[in-house]
Structures are given as structure tokens and as C-alpha cells.
Amino acid sequence: KQIQYVFQNPDASLNPRMRIGEAIARQVEVLDPCESGKLRRRVEMVLSEVQLDGDYFHRYPDELSGGERQRVAIARALIVDPTLLLCDEILSGLDVSVQSNVIKVLRQMVSERGVSILFISHDVAVVKELADKIGVLYRGRLLETGSKTEIFSEPYHPYTKMLLNAVPQVGRVPSEAVPEENVDRSLEVSSGCVFSQRCKYSIEGLCDRASPPMQKFGGSHYISCHLDSDGFRNVK
């Protein structure tokens, strides 16, 4: 009940045979039962929170747009008052204008409900718009963590720099593209850095053999690397 999941694909996350009101009410029936009159009011209230009116109660998923279905999925997760929402690439299939509406809904949930969101995304622009704290993952390993300001104003890890430099901007040619991964998995050493075969600063005999420590670079900023702050300044 305290941890709710919003799936990536809104087309597949809702039962096509259930009306919207039934799908949202099902969460309450299973996790937080209440009497029927109160249940209807709770469903209509949470629909209003995600900017959908009461008419949506009787509609089926195929009568809604992709953005509306995703807001229904968020409403279904929120109706049991969770403390944490897990959002897995929930904006990836939506148009930019629709993404903006969903981001607005999520921000409202954080400010009004106090719910925390663990948001997974490959879209750097969305991360910058929504996140307070950021963790950069590569092959399931955490390479860098910090506040939004720390990550976007002074990224240290080569992979983070690569991702940010590859973001398209008007009037700027990306200074460093993210190359396609061409790694010989048979040569991988499980104890070494997972990024060593793509890192231009890799130290042979160290990075490919020893797991890098998670070092503090000030504030809440941490980076997993064998280079310390002086080492990074020297290679910039």
C-alpha cells in the first residue's frame, strides 16, 4: 500500500474491460477497503487531482488519449495514499506537450500530498525538469549521485558528462556524442569498473580490475571512480 507503481505503457497498464472508475476503485477494495458511497467520492476526488472530471468514471481506456490513460494510472496509484511512487519511464511514449501536463500533475502530488517519487528516465530534459536528487546508472551500477544543481552544473563522471553533452540544444553542436556500446563481454572483469571499456580516462590495470570507490565531492555529490577531485581537474 505504501509503495505504488506507475508502469511505462499506459495502453497495457489498464484493463480494457474495466471502466476507469472500476479500475481505480479496485485498488481501494484490495488495499484500503471502505463503504461504497465513500469509495465513489474518493475515486472522483483523485480523478480531479489528476485533472480529469467525473465523466471519466464511466469511460473505458480505449476512449482516452495516451496522456489521459497515464493520468488515470497515476490516480489509481495515488488513491491508497502511498508514501512512494515508482514511475518507470512513464513519459517516454507521450508527446512533449502531454509530458508537460503529466509533469505538472506529479509536481502537484509532491507538493500537496507529500508523496516521494522514484522516477526512472532516459530523457535528460525530463530529469532536469522534475528531479530534486539524481542518480546516474550504467548497467545497473550507480556511477554518480547528487542534487540537480550539483549534477547539471558540475558533472564529474565521464558517463554523466557524455550524456549531458549529447543533449541537443539550439545553436550548439554536441561536443561529445554517446557512442554505441561495443564491448566484448567475454573480456569483462566483474570486479572492475563497469564503464572502464568506454571511458577515455580509464587506467589500465586498475579500472578494469578493481571496483572504484564511491567518493564524496562535496555536499551530497558522490562519484564512483578511482580518480579523486585533483585527478578530474587534471583530465578536464
Side-chain angles (χ1 to χ4, degrees):
K1 180 179 179 296
Q2 296 302 312
I3 303 175
Q4 290 295 300
Y5 201 110
V6 183
F7 296 93
Q8 179 175 1
N9 185 359
D11 297 330
S13 61
L14 299 174
N15 189 331
R17 295 178 179 84
M18 294 181 71
R19 297 180 187 273
I20 297 306
E22 295 172 323
I24 296 175
R26 180 63 178 159
Q27 287 286 89
V28 179
E29 293 168 356
V30 173
L31 298 173
D32 191 20
C34 67
E35 54 92 10
S36 59
K38 184 178 180 181
L39 175 57
R40 174 64 183 263
R41 290 192 297 273
R42 284 177 66 176
V43 173
E44 292 178 343
M45 186 178 298
V46 78
L47 281 172
S48 175
E49 284 188 75
V50 297
Q51 302 174 5
L52 297 174
D53 61 44
D55 291 341
Y56 283 83
F57 189 97
H58 298 289
R59 296 188 188 182
Y60 286 96
D62 63 359
E63 299 179 78
L64 278 57
S65 68
E68 289 172 334
R69 283 194 289 268
Q70 198 62 289
R71 279 186 276 167
V72 169
I74 294 171
R76 182 179 60 181
L78 288 172
I79 195 167
V80 291
D81 295 319
T83 56
L84 177 65
L85 282 185
L86 303 181
C87 297
D88 180 16
E89 291 277 9
I90 67 171
L91 303 178
S92 61
L94 306 178
D95 293 337
V96 174
S97 59
V98 180
Q99 288 183 4
S100 179
N101 290 333
V102 177
I103 288 175
K104 183 179 179 181
V105 168
L106 293 174
R107 282 177 166 173
Q108 182 179 331
M109 297 304 100
V110 172
S111 63
E112 295 183 0
R113 284 177 169 260
V115 63
S116 297
I117 300 176
L118 178 58
F119 195 90
I120 302 163
S121 179
H122 289 87
D123 191 327
V124 175
V126 168
V127 171
K128 189 173 184 178
E129 182 76 14
L130 190 60
D132 295 314
K133 296 180 180 178
I134 298 171
V136 180
L137 289 167
Y138 180 73
R139 286 203 215 155
R141 300 287 184 89
L142 197 59
L143 299 185
E144 185 169 8
T145 66
S147 68
K148 177 166 62 177
T149 301
E150 289 166 335
I151 296 294
F152 281 95
S153 64
E154 199 171 22
Y156 281 102
H157 197 281
Y159 182 55
T160 307
K161 291 171 65 176
M162 188 183 295
L163 290 174
L164 297 184
N165 287 335
V167 175
Q169 293 184 22
V170 176
R172 179 178 74 84
V173 178
S175 59
E176 185 177 6
V178 180
E180 290 188 14
E181 188 170 12
N182 184 19
V183 177
D184 185 350
R185 297 301 174 95
S186 65
L187 299 178
E188 284 190 36
V189 180
S190 60
S191 58
C193 176
V194 293
F195 192 64
S196 62
Q197 292 190 45
R198 299 181 72 189
C199 182
K200 63 183 179 181
Y201 307 127
S202 180
I203 304 170
E204 187 175 354
L206 176 61
C207 296
D208 55 345
R209 296 183 181 180
S211 181
M214 184 66 80
Q215 303 186 66
K216 186 172 184 178
F217 277 69
S220 60
H221 198 178
Y222 288 82
I223 176 173
S224 175
C225 191
H226 288 292
L227 292 176
D228 57 16
S229 57
D230 291 333
F232 274 106
R233 294 188 184 98
N234 292 333
V235 298
K236 283 186 177 180

